[in-house]
Amino acid sequence: MFLVPLPDKRSKIGEAISQIGDGASVMLGGFGVPGTPFCLIRELVRQGPRNLTVIKNDANEAGMGVDWLLENGQVAKLITSHIGLNPTAMRLMNEAAIEIEFVPQGILAERIRVAGAGMMGFISDIGLGIAVAEGKQRVEVAGKTGVVETALRADFALIHANKADAFGNLTFSAAARNFNPLMAMAAGRTIVEAESIVAFGALEPENVHLTGAFVDAVVELNELPEVYGVVKR
């Protein structure tokens, strides 16, 4: 019996992010601060690819995360559930400087989930009669009207994990799991920032929240900058 060694996916942050070019679609994990890959986003700002489609549950607050990308003029379209805490996003929307697609939070999560499951979409009655359902195909199912919600995929997913091994098996801390596993499964390439990288076998199988099969690169963080303040443990 021959055992095939698992690939070592550890990467330098600059090398990992350099694969994201102009016009790419990028999913960003996180719900507010918990689970948001701030260091990967900061490197994305430094490298500066333009005309990005950014997919994230929220637009973060002023001076952090998505706001860095908006202020740097890198975002052409933002797909999100709300922008109410980010005045930059609201200003750019009102100026028609970027396109914003609002998606109810549960629908956003499910569109991402079904993409990772290899499905084309699903049917829901959420949003009927309001703006979020405008222009969507309507169908009748068992006498009820629903709209077709298409699966949401991306070229890249940037996610934050608590621990990883070199193959990319991940654990998340509490609520920081949120959108991260869903996005990793729905992207063509997944880049992870991990608070620590542990040896192969150090993660108990029952504690692995996302298998490394969905991960392409793992970047170890030497420390958490101040922006992560609310998730320090």
Side-chain angles (χ1 to χ4, degrees):
M1 180 178 180
F2 295 93
L3 296 178
V4 178
L6 294 174
D8 188 331
K9 300 176 184 177
R10 289 175 292 184
S11 175
K12 299 293 186 182
I13 190 168
E15 179 183 350
I17 294 298
S18 68
Q19 301 169 63
I20 303 176
D22 292 350
S25 55
V26 184
M27 289 179 172
L28 303 177
F31 190 117
V33 170
T36 296
F38 291 111
C39 288
L40 295 180
I41 296 172
R42 179 62 82 186
E43 179 62 19
L44 188 61
V45 172
R46 190 189 71 81
Q47 295 194 21
R50 320 301 285 184
N51 297 316
L52 301 176
T53 294
V54 172
I55 303 162
K56 192 179 188 298
N57 174 64
D58 56 276
N60 291 123
E61 300 179 38
M64 64 170 59
V66 173
D67 194 59
W68 298 331
L69 294 166
L70 294 172
E71 290 283 6
N72 203 39
Q74 293 175 252
V75 181
K77 181 176 182 179
L78 176 62
I79 302 175
T80 186
S81 65
H82 73 94
I83 62 172
L85 298 178
N86 190 319
T88 305
M90 290 188 283
R91 174 178 57 81
L92 292 173
M93 178 184 68
N94 291 332
E95 294 174 353
I98 63 170
E99 179 184 353
I100 294 186
E101 178 183 344
F102 288 107
V103 184
Q105 191 174 84
I107 296 295
L108 179 64
E110 187 65 3
R111 287 181 65 190
I112 296 168
R113 188 196 69 80
V114 299
M119 299 168 64
M120 297 175 68
F122 62 98
I123 299 169
S124 171
D125 62 355
I126 294 174
L128 283 173
I130 60 175
V132 293
E134 290 180 1
K136 294 180 179 178
Q137 180 183 355
R138 299 194 177 199
V139 295
E140 297 289 328
V141 178
K144 296 182 179 180
T145 300
V147 297
V148 176
E149 297 286 356
T150 56
L152 186 57
R153 298 176 175 84
D155 300 318
F156 295 89
L158 306 185
I159 68 176
H160 177 92
N162 179 27
K163 293 180 181 179
D165 62 23
F167 178 62
N169 294 312
L170 308 179
T171 65
F172 302 95
S173 180
R177 189 184 310 189
N178 53 62
F179 280 81
N180 281 302
L182 301 180
M183 289 182 169
M185 291 186 281
R189 188 168 183 83
T190 297
I191 301 170
V192 178
E193 60 172 45
E195 296 177 32
S196 63
I197 296 179
V198 299
F200 284 122
L203 299 177
E204 294 291 337
E206 62 269 24
N207 293 329
V208 172
H209 300 143
L210 181 73
T211 172
F214 296 106
V215 173
D216 298 281
V218 183
V219 175
E220 186 170 25
L221 304 179
N222 295 320
E223 60 179 354
L224 294 182
E226 183 60 32
V227 70
Y228 293 88
V230 301
V231 296
K232 286 183 178 177
R233 291 176 292 280

